[in-house]
Amino acid sequence: MKDITVAIDGFSSTGKSTIAKQLAKKLEYVYVDSGAMYRAVTLYAMQHQLISNTFFYKDKLISVLDIISLKFKFNTDLGFAEIYLNDINVEKEIRNIEVSEFVSKVAEISEVRRKLVEQQQQFGTNKRVVMDGRDIGTVVFPNAELKIFMNASAKKRAQRRFEELTKRGDKVTFDEILKNIEYRDYIDSTRKDSPLIKANDAIEIDNSEMTIDEQFEKIYTIVINKINSLK
Ligand code: CDP
């Protein structure tokens, strides 16, 4: 089987990471959650009082980017790689609603993007990678053999994220999740640097009415057909 790169982009909470993890497992590829990297930089900014509801010291954040180390380490129990910020596992913390509130502001900064995109491209030098995010098919891997663009109604997406966070014990309301999703979608798609847009050659999937299994079946078939067509 030919080795390929799979780029999965789309709006917030469209199930990108669910399908990306499943595909990576099945194909024995590496899964990279690019959003986790933006979230980890945001967490760093929060921990160092560089961002809050009332201030954002962008220049200071840019000046410390070199000392922010991001690593992924595979967790065999979970079956995917967890993210480490300066050698501390922050996989759970970065999913908090507080981080979600600031992440799109941090992700607008070109210097942040440049650093993270460079690292993301290194993960893909040998192909055999499934990466999800906002600009994977457009900026990180514009030559990816397969690009998927995920979408679903905002309400469905908010419902899914609400269930995910309440299940793990976070105290959140449906309304604040919905508001956060709509807010991030807006910033992510209108920012100047690498906005979220569907690549011309991406296949769009709306999974509003699909179960996780149905979605996997559909996308896995697309992947296999693509690999076979490249033989
Ligand atoms: O899981 P969810 O779809 O809600 O978000 P995520 O993938 O964890 O990404 C969090 C945020 O990081 C997004 O809302 C974007 O602002 C930013 N991001 C980005 O700008 N570029 C990427 N390749 C991935 C994420």
Side-chain angles (χ1 to χ4, degrees):
M1 280 218 301
K2 198 172 159 68
D3 293 340
I4 66 165
T5 299
V6 183
I8 305 181
D9 288 303
F11 293 97
S12 168
S13 316
T14 38
K16 301 181 297 291
S17 68
T18 303
I19 182 67
K21 279 178 196 159
Q22 288 174 317
L23 287 179
K25 190 169 175 200
K26 184 88 178 173
L27 297 163
E28 295 181 4
Y29 279 18
V30 172
Y31 163 57
V32 181
D33 176 353
S34 71
M37 299 169 74
Y38 290 93
R39 285 175 178 273
V41 172
T42 305
L43 181 64
Y44 181 94
M46 291 163 70
Q47 288 170 340
H48 292 80
Q49 283 78 46
L50 301 178
I51 193 166
S52 79
N53 282 319
T54 50
F55 59 80
F56 184 11
Y57 302 121
K58 281 188 200 177
D59 291 342
K60 176 75 187 149
L61 178 60
I62 293 167
S63 75
V64 294
L65 281 176
D66 280 350
I67 57 167
I68 302 180
S69 136
L70 304 177
K71 284 183 204 144
F72 285 99
K73 289 188 199 161
F74 193 78
N75 179 325
T76 38
D77 293 336
L78 295 173
F80 65 88
E82 295 179 294
I83 192 159
Y84 285 69
L85 166 62
N86 291 338
D87 295 318
I88 294 170
N89 185 330
V90 292
E91 183 64 32
K92 180 157 190 237
E93 219 176 332
I94 57 161
R95 315 283 166 195
N96 289 343
I97 186 83
E98 290 78 16
V99 174
S100 299
E101 266 156 26
F102 299 125
V103 64
S104 290
K105 282 282 166 207
V106 170
E108 273 185 318
I109 303 174
S110 293
E111 288 82 354
V112 171
R113 303 205 70 81
R114 210 173 306 137
K115 173 187 165 93
L116 300 194
V117 167
E118 199 184 301
Q119 197 175 349
Q120 289 153 10
Q121 287 172 333
Q122 279 167 13
F123 290 132
T125 41
N126 296 324
K127 297 192 183 277
R128 300 183 65 85
V129 66
V130 182
M131 193 175 292
D132 76 329
R134 303 292 186 285
D135 58 344
I136 312 305
T138 50
V139 175
V140 181
F141 299 128
N143 298 323
E145 290 80 358
L146 184 63
K147 300 177 186 177
I148 307 275
F149 190 87
M150 309 277 287
N151 209 344
S153 71
K155 257 192 151 167
K156 269 271 156 70
R157 296 190 277 128
Q159 190 58 41
R160 289 172 185 161
R161 185 51 54 92
F162 176 69
E163 278 163 22
E164 185 185 326
L165 292 179
T166 45
K167 211 159 131 192
R168 66 175 217 173
D170 287 14
K171 299 251 172 307
V172 285
T173 66
F174 174 83
D175 283 350
E176 72 179 322
I177 301 277
L178 180 62
K179 249 173 69 188
N180 176 257
I181 282 179
E182 288 172 339
Y183 166 72
R184 277 196 291 136
D185 285 352
Y186 175 74
I187 300 187
D188 293 347
S189 8
T190 55
R191 69 180 173 221
K192 280 207 189 76
D193 190 344
S194 324
L196 167 64
I197 40 165
K198 177 180 166 291
N200 289 334
D201 49 349
I203 299 171
E204 183 158 0
I205 309 259
D206 187 313
N207 64 12
S208 304
E209 304 304 328
M210 281 183 206
T211 65
I212 289 178
D213 287 349
E214 283 166 353
Q215 162 173 290
F216 176 73
E217 220 138 271
K218 184 172 175 82
I219 299 179
Y220 185 63
T221 306
I222 295 173
V223 172
I224 293 302
N225 288 343
K226 175 50 92 178
I227 292 176
N228 289 337
S229 76
L230 295 171
K231 263 196 271 185

